[in-house]
Amino acid sequence: MSVVVKICGLSTCDTLEAAVAAGADMVGFVFFPASPRHVGLDVARELSDQVGSRAAKVALTVDASDALIRDIVEILKPDLLQLHGSESPERVRALKQAFGLPVMKAIAVATAADLAVLPAYAETADRILFDARPPKDATRPGGLGMTFDWELLRDLNLSLPFMVSGGVNPGNVAAALRVTGAGGVDVSSGVERAPGAKDPELIRSFIRAARASEELMT
Ligand SMILES: O=C(O)c1ccccc1N[C@@H]1O[C@H](COP(=O)(O)O)[C@@H](O)[C@H]1O
């Protein structure tokens, strides 16, 4: 089974190149000023040109305005919008209509009760991304290197493609994919040496580990 591998929070040319050259399917760019991975529009333009069509570009926003998303769409030319805030199913639908792009909605998970929202999002989103629910005092809703109980997703009956994220790294990515049955995996902190500082060797190890797990799942 082929797994979609997304490396998120890329902000420099060399780490972006490491991800694309190692075979990342998706590369993510964070547009959220409170994040150590935030990129401005000028940097986004440069990184977008560098990717070209070698990987799918993902724009990560958190409860962003239409105006900001319009600028991002114009400059980054993303293939997918990742909504990582408290965007409602109606907001997902409206953004899809306004920008004509597929949407991946992040769902924060701590307990089984958090999965109750899935039927509503399954009607409007194109893809679901499961991430750990952040602590109440967190300064950002993701990118914290926190895992959740993957067993909550075992035997999940979801009509949409879904990805697992939250605290995955080269050492646990195979288990995350095996337990959850996810068709993709997304990583940020697990391929960094400090918040926001991606490590090319960790990126390569992560992608190698994810690809190796594909063979075990066939
Ligand atoms: O990366 C960030 O700083 C970030 C900020 C705001 C929302 C989401 C963010 N990152 C996403 O969070 C998950 C998990 O990240 P991690 O691997 O646990 O660090 C991932 O999808 C990132 O794309």
Side-chain angles (χ1 to χ4, degrees):
M1 188 182 105
S2 152
V3 160
V4 176
V5 179
K6 173 170 173 270
I7 307 293
C8 197
L10 292 155
S11 58
T12 66
C13 294
D14 58 334
T15 55
L16 175 59
E17 202 52 39
V20 173
D25 300 291
M26 295 183 176
V27 286
F29 305 98
V30 176
F31 297 88
F32 185 59
S35 167
R37 296 129 192 151
H38 171 71
V39 287
L41 294 173
D42 286 344
V43 171
R45 189 192 308 276
E46 196 182 331
L47 297 176
S48 176
D49 289 347
Q50 187 184 333
V51 179
S53 56
R54 294 183 296 160
K57 291 169 288 185
V58 182
L60 187 163
T61 56
V62 178
D63 298 316
S65 65
D66 284 5
L68 175 59
I69 296 179
R70 187 167 301 114
D71 286 347
I72 293 168
V73 168
E74 191 184 316
I75 286 164
L76 182 70
K77 299 183 177 55
D79 300 285
L80 181 67
L81 300 177
Q82 176 175 336
L83 305 181
H84 219 105
S86 51
E87 299 87 357
S88 66
E90 293 69 32
R91 177 74 176 145
V92 171
R93 193 194 306 277
L95 289 173
K96 274 170 62 79
Q97 275 169 4
F99 296 104
L101 285 168
V103 166
M104 175 160 73
K105 178 69 187 95
I107 305 291
V109 184
T111 70
D114 292 319
L115 305 181
V117 297
L118 284 176
Y121 285 108
E123 286 184 12
T124 58
D126 297 277
R127 210 177 253 280
I128 298 291
L129 174 72
F130 294 102
D131 190 9
R133 178 170 289 285
K136 285 206 166 48
D137 59 351
T139 54
R140 55 183 187 271
L144 297 165
M146 278 178 60
T147 52
F148 64 94
D149 180 4
W150 300 324
E151 289 291 338
L152 293 169
L153 302 188
R154 197 188 278 278
D155 302 324
L156 185 69
N157 187 12
L158 185 61
S159 55
L160 295 182
F162 66 95
M163 301 178 77
V164 61
S165 72
V168 287
N169 59 48
N172 68 10
V173 60
L177 287 166
R178 190 182 63 248
V179 174
T180 61
V185 63
D186 184 11
V187 62
S188 193
S189 308
V191 292
E192 291 179 343
R193 44 175 194 275
K198 291 279 181 300
D199 181 323
E201 195 43 55
L202 285 174
I203 290 173
R204 287 188 279 271
S205 306
F206 184 86
I207 296 177
R208 263 198 311 272
R211 296 290 173 228
S213 76
E214 289 173 347
E215 286 161 33
L216 303 174
M217 291 189 286
T218 49

